[in-house]
Amino acid sequence: TYSIEKEYFKVLTFENKKGRLNEIITGLYCITSEEHSKGRSNIEVVEKMIKAGVKIIQYREKKKSLLEKYNECKKIREMTLDSGVTFIVNDNIDIAMMVKADGVHIGQDDLPIEKVRELVGDEMIIGISTHSPTQAEDAVRRGADYIGVGPLYRTYTKEDVCEPVGLEYLDYVVKNINIPYVAIGGIKEHNMDEVLARGARCIAMVTEIVGADDIEEKISKVKSKFSRGVL
Ligand code: 3NM
């Protein structure tokens, strides 16, 4: 249903994300993965994430066609706009642009950040996964808006299984990198205290959330740890 407040809210949430990146890249950063979602669709899972109050959601889907991904992202863009949630698309710069996502998240083997920036413009958030101090410094130099830092622990979610980089890499980033960062890789409710204690303000989780029996209950538990944490 149309309401002027809702339309105004959309304008407010859409504009100036870039000026508020420190606020946006905070707390629980949820990432989809339908194959780990226990029979639930990406859309169902995102619905639960939004209902539970998650503020940033990344669409990550390695198994579907471009058209299927586009259609899901279109739907998720509507859902996230309605609720004021930041929406990031993994890998697919084309889809991110077409659905007017807030951002795109790329990996080390994707197109150079400068080229992605040329395509998406200054308004869109660009995040990049990094696994070493050299990659972190490089991402900053090339104009990334935030970096992923991981995998901190063993993870079976990524196809190309990467050895954990260790918490020392997070320590390096906390100390030396002055753009927002999100800790990732094997982070769960039971080990997130350690990550928060080392100074991370934003933590990404895939399987811990999408694979939970009760997604909303899990999010609520994880969120309460943030507020009791080091912040
Ligand atoms: N990127 P889970 S680790 C998508 O280190 C992804 O860049 C990583 O999944 C990186 O929370 C990872 O289930 C998978 O361990 C994280």
Side-chain angles (χ1 to χ4, degrees), residues 38-61:
K38 300 213 165 129
R40 294 166 293 215
S41 71
N42 281 329
I43 302 296
E44 276 175 80
V45 166
V46 167
E47 231 162 35
K48 290 180 194 295
M49 288 169 176
I50 293 174
K51 213 164 143 208
V54 170
K55 287 292 161 212
I56 177 161
I57 297 175
Q58 181 190 123
Y59 178 85
R60 185 173 187 273
E61 180 53 64

PDB file of all heavy atoms in Angstrom, residues 38-61:
ATOM      1  N   LYS A  38      18.385 -25.267   4.339  1.00  0.00           N
ATOM      2  CA  LYS A  38      17.479 -26.326   4.829  1.00  0.00           C
ATOM      3  C   LYS A  38      16.122 -26.324   4.128  1.00  0.00           C
ATOM      4  O   LYS A  38      15.076 -26.370   4.771  1.00  0.00           O
ATOM      5  CB  LYS A  38      17.269 -26.193   6.343  1.00  0.00           C
ATOM      6  CG  LYS A  38      18.541 -26.310   7.158  1.00  0.00           C
ATOM      7  CD  LYS A  38      18.277 -26.960   8.514  1.00  0.00           C
ATOM      8  CE  LYS A  38      19.553 -27.413   9.189  1.00  0.00           C
ATOM      9  NZ  LYS A  38      19.664 -26.935  10.556  1.00  0.00           N
ATOM     10  N   GLY A  39      16.164 -26.211   2.806  1.00  0.00           N
ATOM     11  CA  GLY A  39      14.926 -26.313   2.040  1.00  0.00           C
ATOM     12  C   GLY A  39      14.151 -25.013   1.906  1.00  0.00           C
ATOM     13  O   GLY A  39      13.176 -24.933   1.159  1.00  0.00           O
ATOM     14  N   ARG A  40      14.579 -23.984   2.621  1.00  0.00           N
ATOM     15  CA  ARG A  40      13.900 -22.680   2.498  1.00  0.00           C
ATOM     16  C   ARG A  40      14.477 -21.919   1.311  1.00  0.00           C
ATOM     17  O   ARG A  40      15.647 -22.071   0.983  1.00  0.00           O
ATOM     18  CB  ARG A  40      14.093 -21.862   3.783  1.00  0.00           C
ATOM     19  CG  ARG A  40      13.413 -22.488   4.991  1.00  0.00           C
ATOM     20  CD  ARG A  40      13.883 -21.862   6.288  1.00  0.00           C
ATOM     21  NE  ARG A  40      15.285 -22.147   6.573  1.00  0.00           N
ATOM     22  CZ  ARG A  40      15.783 -22.331   7.788  1.00  0.00           C
ATOM     23  NH1 ARG A  40      15.011 -22.242   8.854  1.00  0.00           N
ATOM     24  NH2 ARG A  40      17.070 -22.577   7.971  1.00  0.00           N
ATOM     25  N   SER A  41      13.652 -21.104   0.670  1.00  0.00           N
ATOM     26  CA  SER A  41      14.128 -20.316  -0.468  1.00  0.00           C
ATOM     27  C   SER A  41      14.901 -19.099   0.035  1.00  0.00           C
ATOM     28  O   SER A  41      14.758 -18.686   1.193  1.00  0.00           O
ATOM     29  CB  SER A  41      12.949 -19.849  -1.318  1.00  0.00           C
ATOM     30  OG  SER A  41      12.219 -18.861  -0.614  1.00  0.00           O
ATOM     31  N   ASN A  42      15.714 -18.516  -0.843  1.00  0.00           N
ATOM     32  CA  ASN A  42      16.412 -17.269  -0.491  1.00  0.00           C
ATOM     33  C   ASN A  42      15.421 -16.204  -0.038  1.00  0.00           C
ATOM     34  O   ASN A  42      15.690 -15.457   0.900  1.00  0.00           O
ATOM     35  CB  ASN A  42      17.205 -16.756  -1.693  1.00  0.00           C
ATOM     36  CG  ASN A  42      18.517 -17.501  -1.888  1.00  0.00           C
ATOM     37  OD1 ASN A  42      19.132 -17.955  -0.925  1.00  0.00           O
ATOM     38  ND2 ASN A  42      18.937 -17.640  -3.141  1.00  0.00           N
ATOM     39  N   ILE A  43      14.300 -16.132  -0.745  1.00  0.00           N
ATOM     40  CA  ILE A  43      13.312 -15.091  -0.420  1.00  0.00           C
ATOM     41  C   ILE A  43      12.737 -15.304   0.991  1.00  0.00           C
ATOM     42  O   ILE A  43      12.643 -14.360   1.785  1.00  0.00           O
ATOM     43  CB  ILE A  43      12.165 -15.074  -1.468  1.00  0.00           C
ATOM     44  CG1 ILE A  43      12.719 -14.829  -2.876  1.00  0.00           C
ATOM     45  CG2 ILE A  43      11.078 -14.052  -1.103  1.00  0.00           C
ATOM     46  CD1 ILE A  43      13.374 -13.479  -3.099  1.00  0.00           C
ATOM     47  N   GLU A  44      12.395 -16.560   1.299  1.00  0.00           N
ATOM     48  CA  GLU A  44      11.886 -16.869   2.651  1.00  0.00           C
ATOM     49  C   GLU A  44      12.910 -16.491   3.716  1.00  0.00           C
ATOM     50  O   GLU A  44      12.569 -15.936   4.764  1.00  0.00           O
ATOM     51  CB  GLU A  44      11.646 -18.383   2.784  1.00  0.00           C
ATOM     52  CG  GLU A  44      10.335 -18.907   2.271  1.00  0.00           C
ATOM     53  CD  GLU A  44      10.329 -20.443   2.384  1.00  0.00           C
ATOM     54  OE1 GLU A  44      10.087 -20.970   3.480  1.00  0.00           O
ATOM     55  OE2 GLU A  44      10.611 -21.091   1.353  1.00  0.00           O
ATOM     56  N   VAL A  45      14.176 -16.831   3.435  1.00  0.00           N
ATOM     57  CA  VAL A  45      15.237 -16.565   4.403  1.00  0.00           C
ATOM     58  C   VAL A  45      15.418 -15.055   4.600  1.00  0.00           C
ATOM     59  O   VAL A  45      15.524 -14.565   5.729  1.00  0.00           O
ATOM     60  CB  VAL A  45      16.560 -17.235   3.940  1.00  0.00           C
ATOM     61  CG1 VAL A  45      17.752 -16.721   4.717  1.00  0.00           C
ATOM     62  CG2 VAL A  45      16.446 -18.749   4.060  1.00  0.00           C
ATOM     63  N   VAL A  46      15.408 -14.313   3.488  1.00  0.00           N
ATOM     64  CA  VAL A  46      15.573 -12.857   3.584  1.00  0.00           C
ATOM     65  C   VAL A  46      14.406 -12.233   4.351  1.00  0.00           C
ATOM     66  O   VAL A  46      14.596 -11.316   5.157  1.00  0.00           O
ATOM     67  CB  VAL A  46      15.729 -12.229   2.174  1.00  0.00           C
ATOM     68  CG1 VAL A  46      15.582 -10.716   2.222  1.00  0.00           C
ATOM     69  CG2 VAL A  46      17.079 -12.605   1.577  1.00  0.00           C
ATOM     70  N   GLU A  47      13.216 -12.768   4.115  1.00  0.00           N
ATOM     71  CA  GLU A  47      12.037 -12.277   4.848  1.00  0.00           C
ATOM     72  C   GLU A  47      12.260 -12.398   6.361  1.00  0.00           C
ATOM     73  O   GLU A  47      11.994 -11.463   7.123  1.00  0.00           O
ATOM     74  CB  GLU A  47      10.839 -13.150   4.473  1.00  0.00           C
ATOM     75  CG  GLU A  47       9.615 -12.397   4.024  1.00  0.00           C
ATOM     76  CD  GLU A  47       8.667 -13.320   3.260  1.00  0.00           C
ATOM     77  OE1 GLU A  47       8.546 -14.522   3.596  1.00  0.00           O
ATOM     78  OE2 GLU A  47       8.055 -12.822   2.294  1.00  0.00           O
ATOM     79  N   LYS A  48      12.779 -13.542   6.765  1.00  0.00           N
ATOM     80  CA  LYS A  48      13.030 -13.786   8.197  1.00  0.00           C
ATOM     81  C   LYS A  48      14.135 -12.865   8.717  1.00  0.00           C
ATOM     82  O   LYS A  48      14.057 -12.338   9.823  1.00  0.00           O
ATOM     83  CB  LYS A  48      13.419 -15.244   8.437  1.00  0.00           C
ATOM     84  CG  LYS A  48      12.263 -16.221   8.228  1.00  0.00           C
ATOM     85  CD  LYS A  48      12.734 -17.644   8.497  1.00  0.00           C
ATOM     86  CE  LYS A  48      11.730 -18.688   7.990  1.00  0.00           C
ATOM     87  NZ  LYS A  48      10.440 -18.643   8.712  1.00  0.00           N
ATOM     88  N   MET A  49      15.170 -12.659   7.900  1.00  0.00           N
ATOM     89  CA  MET A  49      16.274 -11.782   8.318  1.00  0.00           C
ATOM     90  C   MET A  49      15.744 -10.368   8.574  1.00  0.00           C
ATOM     91  O   MET A  49      16.086  -9.727   9.568  1.00  0.00           O
ATOM     92  CB  MET A  49      17.350 -11.716   7.229  1.00  0.00           C
ATOM     93  CG  MET A  49      18.173 -12.986   7.085  1.00  0.00           C
ATOM     94  SD  MET A  49      19.184 -12.888   5.571  1.00  0.00           S
ATOM     95  CE  MET A  49      20.127 -14.409   5.700  1.00  0.00           C
ATOM     96  N   ILE A  50      14.930  -9.904   7.653  1.00  0.00           N
ATOM     97  CA  ILE A  50      14.397  -8.540   7.778  1.00  0.00           C
ATOM     98  C   ILE A  50      13.492  -8.443   9.006  1.00  0.00           C
ATOM     99  O   ILE A  50      13.589  -7.498   9.793  1.00  0.00           O
ATOM    100  CB  ILE A  50      13.639  -8.121   6.498  1.00  0.00           C
ATOM    101  CG1 ILE A  50      14.632  -7.992   5.331  1.00  0.00           C
ATOM    102  CG2 ILE A  50      12.885  -6.810   6.713  1.00  0.00           C
ATOM    103  CD1 ILE A  50      13.986  -7.727   3.984  1.00  0.00           C
ATOM    104  N   LYS A  51      12.657  -9.445   9.170  1.00  0.00           N
ATOM    105  CA  LYS A  51      11.726  -9.462  10.308  1.00  0.00           C
ATOM    106  C   LYS A  51      12.499  -9.435  11.626  1.00  0.00           C
ATOM    107  O   LYS A  51      12.070  -8.816  12.598  1.00  0.00           O
ATOM    108  CB  LYS A  51      10.861 -10.715  10.238  1.00  0.00           C
ATOM    109  CG  LYS A  51       9.469 -10.514  10.773  1.00  0.00           C
ATOM    110  CD  LYS A  51       8.541 -11.625  10.355  1.00  0.00           C
ATOM    111  CE  LYS A  51       7.593 -11.935  11.492  1.00  0.00           C
ATOM    112  NZ  LYS A  51       7.138 -13.340  11.471  1.00  0.00           N
ATOM    113  N   ALA A  52      13.650 -10.091  11.637  1.00  0.00           N
ATOM    114  CA  ALA A  52      14.455 -10.159  12.861  1.00  0.00           C
ATOM    115  C   ALA A  52      15.302  -8.906  13.065  1.00  0.00           C
ATOM    116  O   ALA A  52      16.032  -8.794  14.045  1.00  0.00           O
ATOM    117  CB  ALA A  52      15.342 -11.394  12.831  1.00  0.00           C
ATOM    118  N   GLY A  53      15.255  -7.963  12.116  1.00  0.00           N
ATOM    119  CA  GLY A  53      15.924  -6.681  12.320  1.00  0.00           C
ATOM    120  C   GLY A  53      17.338  -6.570  11.786  1.00  0.00           C
ATOM    121  O   GLY A  53      18.081  -5.671  12.184  1.00  0.00           O
ATOM    122  N   VAL A  54      17.719  -7.465  10.866  1.00  0.00           N
ATOM    123  CA  VAL A  54      19.048  -7.358  10.263  1.00  0.00           C
ATOM    124  C   VAL A  54      19.102  -6.098   9.394  1.00  0.00           C
ATOM    125  O   VAL A  54      18.136  -5.763   8.723  1.00  0.00           O
ATOM    126  CB  VAL A  54      19.355  -8.617   9.408  1.00  0.00           C
ATOM    127  CG1 VAL A  54      20.607  -8.425   8.574  1.00  0.00           C
ATOM    128  CG2 VAL A  54      19.493  -9.827  10.310  1.00  0.00           C
ATOM    129  N   LYS A  55      20.233  -5.396   9.424  1.00  0.00           N
ATOM    130  CA  LYS A  55      20.338  -4.104   8.736  1.00  0.00           C
ATOM    131  C   LYS A  55      21.092  -4.145   7.418  1.00  0.00           C
ATOM    132  O   LYS A  55      21.069  -3.200   6.635  1.00  0.00           O
ATOM    133  CB  LYS A  55      21.004  -3.076   9.675  1.00  0.00           C
ATOM    134  CG  LYS A  55      20.099  -2.617  10.791  1.00  0.00           C
ATOM    135  CD  LYS A  55      18.956  -1.802  10.220  1.00  0.00           C
ATOM    136  CE  LYS A  55      17.774  -1.664  11.129  1.00  0.00           C
ATOM    137  NZ  LYS A  55      16.507  -1.581  10.379  1.00  0.00           N
ATOM    138  N   ILE A  56      21.818  -5.246   7.195  1.00  0.00           N
ATOM    139  CA  ILE A  56      22.546  -5.352   5.926  1.00  0.00           C
ATOM    140  C   ILE A  56      22.523  -6.803   5.436  1.00  0.00           C
ATOM    141  O   ILE A  56      22.820  -7.733   6.189  1.00  0.00           O
ATOM    142  CB  ILE A  56      23.976  -4.755   6.031  1.00  0.00           C
ATOM    143  CG1 ILE A  56      24.734  -4.948   4.714  1.00  0.00           C
ATOM    144  CG2 ILE A  56      24.763  -5.316   7.196  1.00  0.00           C
ATOM    145  CD1 ILE A  56      25.930  -4.010   4.567  1.00  0.00           C
ATOM    146  N   ILE A  57      22.127  -6.966   4.186  1.00  0.00           N
ATOM    147  CA  ILE A  57      21.980  -8.307   3.608  1.00  0.00           C
ATOM    148  C   ILE A  57      22.691  -8.361   2.260  1.00  0.00           C
ATOM    149  O   ILE A  57      22.537  -7.474   1.422  1.00  0.00           O
ATOM    150  CB  ILE A  57      20.484  -8.662   3.418  1.00  0.00           C
ATOM    151  CG1 ILE A  57      19.770  -8.712   4.784  1.00  0.00           C
ATOM    152  CG2 ILE A  57      20.337 -10.005   2.675  1.00  0.00           C
ATOM    153  CD1 ILE A  57      18.278  -8.943   4.707  1.00  0.00           C
ATOM    154  N   GLN A  58      23.484  -9.416   2.096  1.00  0.00           N
ATOM    155  CA  GLN A  58      24.142  -9.645   0.804  1.00  0.00           C
ATOM    156  C   GLN A  58      23.503 -10.863   0.126  1.00  0.00           C
ATOM    157  O   GLN A  58      23.354 -11.916   0.746  1.00  0.00           O
ATOM    158  CB  GLN A  58      25.632  -9.916   1.006  1.00  0.00           C
ATOM    159  CG  GLN A  58      26.374 -10.129  -0.315  1.00  0.00           C
ATOM    160  CD  GLN A  58      27.808 -10.634  -0.133  1.00  0.00           C
ATOM    161  OE1 GLN A  58      28.198 -11.668  -0.649  1.00  0.00           O
ATOM    162  NE2 GLN A  58      28.604  -9.861   0.621  1.00  0.00           N
ATOM    163  N   TYR A  59      23.154 -10.685  -1.131  1.00  0.00           N
ATOM    164  CA  TYR A  59      22.659 -11.808  -1.925  1.00  0.00           C
ATOM    165  C   TYR A  59      23.849 -12.513  -2.535  1.00  0.00           C
ATOM    166  O   TYR A  59      24.590 -11.944  -3.330  1.00  0.00           O
ATOM    167  CB  TYR A  59      21.724 -11.305  -3.029  1.00  0.00           C
ATOM    168  CG  TYR A  59      21.193 -12.411  -3.930  1.00  0.00           C
ATOM    169  CD1 TYR A  59      20.069 -13.147  -3.576  1.00  0.00           C
ATOM    170  CD2 TYR A  59      21.816 -12.715  -5.140  1.00  0.00           C
ATOM    171  CE1 TYR A  59      19.582 -14.160  -4.398  1.00  0.00           C
ATOM    172  CE2 TYR A  59      21.340 -13.718  -5.966  1.00  0.00           C
ATOM    173  CZ  TYR A  59      20.223 -14.433  -5.579  1.00  0.00           C
ATOM    174  OH  TYR A  59      19.738 -15.427  -6.388  1.00  0.00           O
ATOM    175  N   ARG A  60      24.056 -13.768  -2.128  1.00  0.00           N
ATOM    176  CA  ARG A  60      25.163 -14.571  -2.661  1.00  0.00           C
ATOM    177  C   ARG A  60      24.578 -15.905  -3.076  1.00  0.00           C
ATOM    178  O   ARG A  60      24.017 -16.627  -2.255  1.00  0.00           O
ATOM    179  CB  ARG A  60      26.240 -14.754  -1.600  1.00  0.00           C
ATOM    180  CG  ARG A  60      27.482 -15.481  -2.092  1.00  0.00           C
ATOM    181  CD  ARG A  60      28.555 -15.458  -1.000  1.00  0.00           C
ATOM    182  NE  ARG A  60      29.814 -15.997  -1.469  1.00  0.00           N
ATOM    183  CZ  ARG A  60      30.129 -17.292  -1.446  1.00  0.00           C
ATOM    184  NH1 ARG A  60      29.273 -18.178  -0.986  1.00  0.00           N
ATOM    185  NH2 ARG A  60      31.311 -17.690  -1.886  1.00  0.00           N
ATOM    186  N   GLU A  61      24.699 -16.217  -4.344  1.00  0.00           N
ATOM    187  CA  GLU A  61      24.059 -17.416  -4.874  1.00  0.00           C
ATOM    188  C   GLU A  61      24.894 -17.919  -6.032  1.00  0.00           C
ATOM    189  O   GLU A  61      24.971 -17.284  -7.079  1.00  0.00           O
ATOM    190  CB  GLU A  61      22.628 -17.055  -5.318  1.00  0.00           C
ATOM    191  CG  GLU A  61      21.845 -18.191  -5.898  1.00  0.00           C
ATOM    192  CD  GLU A  61      21.791 -19.415  -5.002  1.00  0.00           C
ATOM    193  OE1 GLU A  61      21.227 -19.330  -3.912  1.00  0.00           O
ATOM    194  OE2 GLU A  61      22.353 -20.460  -5.391  1.00  0.00           O
TER     195      GLU A  61
END
